[in-house]
Amino acid sequence: MNEIQPPYEVTVLDDAPVEVKTQYSGVSVTLTPLQVAVYDRLMGALAILEEHAGHEITIVAKDKTINRDDLIDIVDKGKEWFVRHYPDIYYALLD
């Protein structure tokens, strides 16, 4: 089976599609559980970057340390993944 792989490690919590509504335009899109997992990680990283703009960021999670560059990488890879595999979702939720 040729299933689309996520751009980074994610935890899929949902077992059914989820409707996601963008806070900016009010547009809603139904995402698969995998898409939700990638979107949540991307948006979480973006929220941390916006909240701590101009400040150093160091997050210790499990046995990893995550810094600003890691968060930017999560955002960039997530956006690229949506553009490549789900352009309609990208333009509705992330553009």
Side-chain angles (χ1 to χ4, degrees):
M1 192 154 119
N2 199 7
E3 197 171 309
I4 295 173
Q5 296 300 307
Y8 33 67
E9 186 179 329
V10 293
T11 301
V12 176
L13 300 174
D14 300 295
D15 54 7
V18 175
E19 186 175 328
V20 175
K21 186 175 186 178
T22 178
Q23 62 183 352
Y24 305 109
S25 68
V27 171
S28 35
V29 177
T30 301
L31 302 180
T32 66
L34 177 60
Q35 292 166 341
V36 171
V38 173
Y39 180 78
D40 285 350
R41 183 149 187 215
L42 183 166
M43 294 306 288
L46 189 58
I48 293 168
L49 287 166
E50 289 174 353
E51 180 72 25
H52 300 284
H55 301 284
E56 186 174 325
I57 299 171
T58 303
I59 301 167
V60 179
K62 297 185 182 178
D63 293 330
K64 290 170 89 171
T65 300
I66 299 169
N67 61 32
R68 177 177 302 283
D69 290 340
D70 297 323
L71 294 169
I72 291 169
D73 192 50
I74 289 168
V75 172
D76 290 345
K77 285 181 178 178
K79 285 183 174 183
E80 290 169 10
W81 185 79
F82 275 105
V83 166
R84 181 175 182 191
H85 299 291
Y86 309 101
D88 292 343
I89 292 171
Y90 172 82
Y91 288 110
L93 296 178
L94 298 166
D95 185 37

